[in-house]
Amino acid sequence: MKEFVKKYSHAWLILTYLPIYMIWFLLLERNVTKNYHIIESPLDAYIPFNELFIVPYLLWFPFIAVSVLYFIFRDGTECYRLSGLLIAGMTVFLLVSTFYPNGVALRPDLTKLNRDNLFLDLVAVLHKADTSTNVCPSIHVYNSLAVCFAFFASSHLKGKRLLKAGILILTVLICMSTVFLKQHSVIDVIWAFVVIAVAAPLIYARRLFAKDHRADTVSESPN
């Protein structure tokens, strides 16, 4: 057990931060219920609601979880970098939501859509579970971009073009899902791109986490 903890010690950063994030986020969800700033762009009116996008929207949850676990067990250095990138964006999101309470008023009345299907049922469940507040920048978009960036930067995935293509396509679909489900405004998406554009160079270009870590190397056969 001691050797296991030592080998994967790089996981402490993200594992320590996640409880802090969840507690802070749940407090925001409980308390930001009125007197918040509505975020909306004229472009939002040109994007139709499409319940099919609930599929990539929900795939975000296993996508992020599995990706983080992959880097914990396969690539220690990239795990540190990804952790730093995720923490940077999520902290910006928490601070913005705390000092500039925000939300959207874009969700359609599902009962007036004159259609009934499984995808709409899933959207209805989403509406009950997730409030329309605390939306900027979009964490769905930001975390997807961060994970995608990590996969493309990982030295362990050189030459894995098909895998990277799949990850990129899923990332694009997740980003699109946020606006086609009316969970987010275009503005939320833009700000997610702005934050990642600032955070990624700080962590990757300057190689703040360039030190090798034990999980970087999964022993391979000499053959």
Side-chain angles (χ1 to χ4, degrees):
M1 179 61 70
K2 183 178 180 180
E3 181 63 25
F4 179 87
V5 171
K6 184 179 180 181
K7 183 176 182 180
Y8 299 105
S9 60
H10 48 268
W12 74 267
L13 190 60
I14 191 66
L15 295 181
T16 301
Y17 180 80
L18 283 178
I20 298 172
Y21 173 82
M22 289 306 303
I23 292 171
W24 194 340
F25 175 74
L26 290 173
L27 287 173
L28 287 171
E29 286 286 278
R30 174 172 293 185
N31 292 289
V32 180
T33 57
K34 57 183 179 179
N35 299 324
Y36 52 83
H37 303 271
I38 296 295
I39 296 178
E40 190 169 1
S41 165
L43 293 175
D44 295 326
Y46 293 95
I47 302 175
F49 171 80
N50 189 319
E51 66 269 22
L52 294 178
F53 278 95
I54 190 65
V55 176
Y57 190 89
L58 294 179
L59 283 176
W60 177 84
F61 295 95
F63 177 50
I64 300 301
V66 171
S67 298
V68 170
L69 288 173
Y70 169 82
F71 287 112
I72 286 176
F73 290 106
R74 185 67 178 88
D75 191 337
T77 295
E78 202 58 50
C79 177
Y80 255 121
R81 292 172 179 157
L82 176 58
S83 296
L85 196 55
L86 291 173
I87 289 170
M90 290 191 288
T91 300
V92 168
F93 161 76
L94 291 172
L95 290 174
V96 170
S97 297
T98 299
F99 296 104
Y100 184 78
N102 57 81
V104 292
L106 300 171
R107 292 179 174 180
D109 185 345
L110 302 181
T111 63
K112 296 181 180 180
L113 293 180
N114 297 320
R115 57 183 185 269
D116 185 22
N117 55 61
L118 174 62
F119 303 107
L120 278 177
D121 292 341
L122 290 173
V123 174
V125 173
L126 174 65
H127 286 182
K128 290 181 180 180
D130 185 26
T131 71
S132 58
T133 59
N134 308 311
V135 296
C136 188
S138 169
I139 286 298
H140 249 67
V141 172
Y142 180 89
N143 282 4
S144 297
L145 293 173
V147 165
C148 185
F149 197 97
F151 275 114
F152 274 78
S154 175
S155 61
H156 291 280
L157 294 174
K158 288 182 178 179
K160 304 290 186 179
R161 294 182 180 180
L162 187 60
L163 175 61
K164 290 180 178 179
I167 290 169
L168 180 59
I169 291 171
L170 179 57
T171 299
V172 171
L173 288 174
I174 290 173
C175 292
M176 292 175 62
S177 75
T178 62
V179 292
F180 277 94
L181 288 180
K182 301 299 179 179
Q183 287 289 104
H184 288 277
S185 165
V186 170
I187 294 174
D188 306 328
V189 175
I190 292 173
W191 274 111
F193 273 85
V194 170
V195 176
I196 198 89
V198 173
L202 290 175
I203 293 173
Y204 282 82
R206 298 184 65 180
R207 302 183 69 81
L208 297 182
F209 299 94
K211 181 181 177 182
D212 289 334
H213 297 280
R214 295 192 60 166
D216 282 358
T217 55
V218 174
S219 59
E220 299 180 0
S221 170
N223 297 323

